[in-house]
Amino acid sequence: MDSNQLQRMRSYLDNTQMMVTMAYYSKVGPNWRSNNLLPDVNRLYFIREGEGWIRLRGRLYHPKPGQLLLLPAGMRLSFGRLGDNGFGKYWCHFTATVGDVNLFQMLELPHCIDVRDEAGLEKQFQDLIGLYNNPSLTAPLRIKSVLLEIVSGYMEGALERERGLRLAPMSETGKINTVLHYVDEHLQERITVEELARLVHFHPNYFMQYFKTMLGLSPIAYINRKRMEKAKELLSATEWTVTDIAERVGLELYYFSRVFKKQTGLSPSEYRKQAARRGPAAAE
């Protein structure tokens, strides 16, 4: 994954809103079965006993104790129990959205992983269930905290297994990625909101709201951040003058210096001196 994709993924995660809608431990009976369900919430299943089967996106899984499954909303789902020993699992239903888009439709993740620390994850699910049934004022905040820990652990387990996550090729990420790629390729030029909105056929007012929902920044703030990242790279790795670098990132010198100092706390010249003292590997 290149640095631009990594930054986009981090932006999506930074702007993700999550909420638990159910959390329990269940040992299901022989009637636990559904075919071609289209769930409107995400599901996490942590298997503890027995046998079952789950079919998701045409792939059949036979989850076993010690495995954690992530079943995204909006994907056809079938499931049932196997054998006579029951099928016991911790589970929760939850939403995870970036704007109006389900996070797990934006990322390509495996749907089943082996859990390394089963006792630790079991404790997290027990805490989640206890908090879900707790009427205290701060319980909703603590629920989100535990859910974020579980989902973060799942993604880290997926990273170990898959050696990297990828953005899914879907329409919503396709739109924002078109815009972000354009910004990367045209930093030296004047970029307007109207111009970016035309790329994805949005009205400028709607585009500004859409962009901030997806990235957590206004389009202009994002463009300036990208320009400052490029400027820091050039200040550390080249001997170009500050004026040349300002032109390279599409800004007039005075405005460039003002934005740079606002974002870094240093003038461009001061940043270059500090980068030289630290060496290229330590430059921000």
Side-chain angles (χ1 to χ4, degrees):
M1 182 188 303
D2 63 33
S3 60
N4 287 330
Q5 282 192 326
L6 179 61
Q7 288 176 7
R8 292 169 199 171
M9 194 174 292
R10 285 176 60 93
S11 294
Y12 296 153
L13 294 178
D14 191 41
N15 289 285
T16 298
Q17 300 295 318
M18 292 193 183
M19 183 177 71
V20 171
T21 59
M22 281 187 173
Y24 291 100
Y25 182 89
S26 299
K27 187 171 182 179
V28 299
N31 293 327
W32 186 72
R33 175 181 292 269
S34 183
N35 286 306
N36 287 321
L37 181 69
L38 190 63
D40 58 0
V41 292
N42 307 296
R43 300 175 181 217
L44 282 167
Y45 288 174
F46 180 34
I47 313 304
R48 303 311 292 142
E49 56 183 317
E51 297 178 279
W53 62 271
I54 292 172
R55 185 181 297 276
L56 183 68
R57 301 177 73 181
R59 180 172 177 180
L60 182 63
Y61 297 88
H62 290 96
K64 58 185 181 181
Q67 291 185 323
L68 178 62
L69 288 88
L70 173 64
L71 312 174
M75 297 184 182
R76 291 288 176 186
L77 175 65
S78 300
F79 52 78
R81 196 187 83 166
L82 293 173
D84 298 323
N85 298 324
F87 187 45
K89 63 191 187 318
Y90 290 99
W91 59 274
C92 74
H93 293 178
F94 69 103
T95 60
T97 55
V98 184
D100 295 328
V101 184
N102 182 9
L103 174 68
F104 302 113
Q105 292 176 342
M106 299 172 68
L107 304 179
E108 288 190 344
L109 287 164
H111 297 301
C112 181
I113 64 168
D114 294 321
V115 176
R116 285 191 175 183
D117 182 6
E118 295 185 36
L121 182 58
E122 186 163 34
K123 175 66 164 53
Q124 287 176 324
F125 267 100
Q126 289 170 348
D127 289 344
L128 186 67
I129 293 167
L131 289 164
Y132 178 71
N133 294 294
N134 188 327
S136 72
L137 175 66
T138 60
L141 295 176
R142 294 172 63 83
I143 287 170
K144 289 182 181 180
S145 175
V146 177
L147 177 62
L148 286 168
E149 286 292 330
I150 294 173
V151 173
S152 297
Y154 190 97
M155 294 183 70
E156 288 162 2
L159 279 167
E160 292 179 3
R161 171 180 163 175
E162 301 291 328
R163 298 184 180 180
L165 304 178
R166 294 176 296 277
L167 293 173
M170 59 171 293
S171 59
E172 289 298 329
T173 53
K175 289 175 184 177
I176 196 67
N177 287 339
T178 295
V179 172
L180 300 184
H181 179 72
Y182 183 89
V183 170
D184 291 337
E185 295 297 315
H186 295 82
L187 284 179
Q188 192 171 353
E189 305 168 16
R190 180 175 178 270
I191 304 172
T192 67
V193 170
E194 291 76 14
E195 184 179 359
L196 298 178
R198 282 196 297 270
L199 290 173
V200 289
H201 309 290
F202 285 164
H203 187 279
N205 291 342
Y206 176 77
F207 173 77
M208 287 191 290
Q209 179 184 357
Y210 164 81
F211 191 98
K212 190 167 185 178
T213 298
M214 297 294 286
L215 275 298
L217 296 169
S218 70
I220 297 304
Y222 176 83
I223 292 167
N224 282 339
R225 187 178 74 177
K226 295 294 291 184
R227 283 172 166 156
M228 296 309 105
E229 289 171 358
K230 182 66 175 179
K232 288 191 285 186
E233 177 186 328
L234 295 174
L235 286 165
S236 301
T238 76
E239 295 182 357
W240 294 354
T241 67
V242 173
T243 300
D244 289 339
I245 291 173
E247 292 179 358
R248 185 79 176 192
V249 298
L251 295 174
E252 294 182 1
L253 178 60
Y254 170 76
Y255 185 65
F256 167 70
S257 298
R258 185 157 64 97
V259 173
F260 191 93
K261 188 163 187 177
K262 183 177 180 180
Q263 291 200 13
T264 67
L266 301 170
S267 71
S269 297
E270 291 169 338
Y271 180 88
R272 171 171 270 168
K273 290 176 183 177
Q274 287 203 7
R277 285 198 295 267
R278 294 194 302 265
E284 291 182 355

